[in-house]
Amino acid sequence: MTTKKAVPEPQKISSRWGPDRRLEFIDFRLRWDGRLNRADLVAFFGISVPQASLDIAKYLELAPDNLVYDRSARVYFATSEFKPVYDTSSPSRLLNELLAHAVGVIGDESSFIGWRAPVGYVPTPGRTLSADTLAILLRAVREGRVVQLVYQSMSAEKPELRLISPHAFAHDGFRWHVRAYCHKHQAFRDFVIARMTEVKLGSLSAVLGAENDVEWHTEATLELEPHPGLSAAQKRAVELDYGMTNGVVSFKCRQALLFYALRHLHLDRAESGTPEQLQVVLKSTF
C-alpha cells in the first residue's frame, strides 16, 4: 500500500516577512497613523492574534515610551514622546510610497501605509519600453555580454547599428538609460532604452567591466546656495525648500549623471534664467 504524501499548505504572507519586519510595521503605523491594534498585524502579515500580541510586547520592550494602550478603544496610540525606532519610518519613505501607490506601482499589500491621504502628481508623457529589450539588457549586464542593436541618437539622421557592452542602468528623472561601453566610439556612454530596436544578445564581452568606467565610479559633490538675485524672504524660502544649513546644501552625484542633475536644477541654462526661475546657483563642485 502506497502512502500518500501530504501536500504542503501554501505559505502565508508571514513566511516572507520576519519578526523584524513586523516590528518595523508597528513603528511605521504608530509614526504615521498614530495608532495600531493587533488586527492590523493579523490582516497585513497573516499571523495569529497571539503572535500579534507577542510582536507588540516585543516592540514595547524596544520603545516603552512610544505607545500607550487605550482600553476603551482597544487600540495602542503613539505618545507625544514617540521617537521612530527604524529608518523605514522616515518622511521620504511615506511620501515615496504614497506616490508609488497613486501611480499604480505598488498595491496595498506591498506598503505599510494604513490610512492614505489623497495624492495628486504631475503626469509626464509615457516612455514606452519593450519588455524583450529590457530582458536582454538585464541578461547582458548580469552575464557581461555584448548587445547588438539599432539605435536612434539625437545627433544622427538615421538609426545606426551599434554594439554595446552594458554594465548598469540609470534614470535621469524622466527616462531610463543603460550605461554601456560603445564599441563604435570606444568609450562608455549613456543609451536611452526607448530608442533601441532590433536588440539581440551577443557573446561574452571582451571589454573589461564597469571598473573601467571612471565617470560612473567617480562621485562629484555639488554645493548649492540661493540665487544672489533673490530677496531675503525668497532666499529663506529656498533654504527651507532644500533643507540648507547656513545657506548651503550639498549632495553627491555620479560624474556620469552630472549633466542630468544640473539640468534638473536648471543650472544648464543659468545665464538665461531669472533668479525666480533658477532659485539656486552652484557654489562649488568637487
Side-chain angles (χ1 to χ4, degrees), residues 93-107:
R93 163 76 179 271
L94 174 77
L95 294 174
N96 284 336
E97 288 197 9
L98 281 173
L99 179 59
H101 186 273
V103 301
V105 174
I106 63 173

Side-chain angles (χ1 to χ4, degrees), residues 77-90:
F77 287 101
T79 66
S80 57
E81 292 81 27
F82 179 90
K83 293 182 179 179
V85 177
Y86 294 92
D87 292 339
T88 46
S89 297
S90 66

Side-chain angles (χ1 to χ4, degrees), residues 28-29 32-33 35 40 94 98 111-118:
F28 190 94
R29 283 289 177 93
W32 299 116
D33 278 14
R35 54 187 292 156
D40 295 327
L94 174 77
L98 281 173
S111 171
F112 284 177
I113 297 175
W115 176 80
R116 297 182 183 279

Side-chain angles (χ1 to χ4, degrees), residues 210-255:
E211 62 271 14
N212 281 347
D213 190 350
V214 177
E215 288 186 339
W216 179 261
H217 290 291
T218 302
E219 281 192 333
T221 299
L222 288 75
E223 285 190 336
L224 304 178
E225 62 183 2
H227 195 289
L230 296 175
S231 68
Q234 289 172 328
K235 288 180 180 178
R236 180 57 182 156
V238 171
E239 289 174 0
L240 291 171
D241 248 353
Y242 285 84
M244 293 182 176
T245 301
N246 297 323
V248 177
V249 66
S250 64
F251 66 97
K252 294 183 181 296
C253 177
R254 295 182 188 271
Q255 274 193 359

Side-chain angles (χ1 to χ4, degrees), residues 37-83:
N37 59 29
R38 291 176 299 179
D40 295 327
L41 286 158
V42 171
F44 192 87
F45 293 102
I47 59 177
S48 65
V49 173
Q51 181 61 62
S53 297
L54 289 172
D55 290 336
I56 294 174
K58 178 63 176 178
Y59 185 83
L60 275 165
E61 292 178 11
L62 294 173
D65 296 328
N66 274 5
L67 66 167
V68 62
Y69 186 66
D70 187 311
R71 293 185 179 277
S72 60
R74 296 183 179 181
V75 169
Y76 287 92
F77 287 101
T79 66
S80 57
E81 292 81 27
F82 179 90
K83 293 182 179 179

Side-chain angles (χ1 to χ4, degrees), residues 110-181:
S110 301
S111 171
F112 284 177
I113 297 175
W115 176 80
R116 297 182 183 279
V119 174
Y121 59 93
V122 178
T124 57
R127 304 285 182 176
T128 303
L129 296 180
S130 163
D132 292 339
T133 294
L134 183 57
I136 290 173
L137 292 173
L138 284 167
R139 184 176 173 185
V141 171
R142 183 174 64 246
E143 299 178 2
R145 291 181 177 271
V146 174
V147 173
Q148 176 184 296
L149 54 90
V150 174
Y151 190 71
Q152 178 63 68
S153 68
M154 292 293 289
S155 58
E157 292 185 4
K158 297 181 180 180
E160 297 177 317
L161 183 67
R162 296 287 186 95
L163 288 178
I164 65 171
S165 294
H167 70 79
F169 291 86
H171 193 264
D172 67 7
F174 296 99
R175 304 169 301 185
W176 278 101
H177 303 245
V178 67
R179 183 73 176 175
Y181 181 83

Side-chain angles (χ1 to χ4, degrees), residues 192-214:
V192 179
I193 299 175
R195 297 177 187 167
M196 300 177 178
T197 58
E198 301 179 34
V199 182
K200 298 177 182 178
L201 188 67
S203 60
L204 292 176
S205 177
V207 177
L208 292 178
E211 62 271 14
N212 281 347
D213 190 350
V214 177

Side-chain angles (χ1 to χ4, degrees), residues 12-30:
K12 292 183 178 180
I13 296 175
S14 57
S15 65
R16 297 187 291 110
W17 300 79
D20 287 339
R21 291 292 284 165
R22 298 198 296 271
L23 294 176
E24 288 182 36
F25 176 88
I26 294 170
D27 196 59
F28 190 94
R29 283 289 177 93
L30 288 171

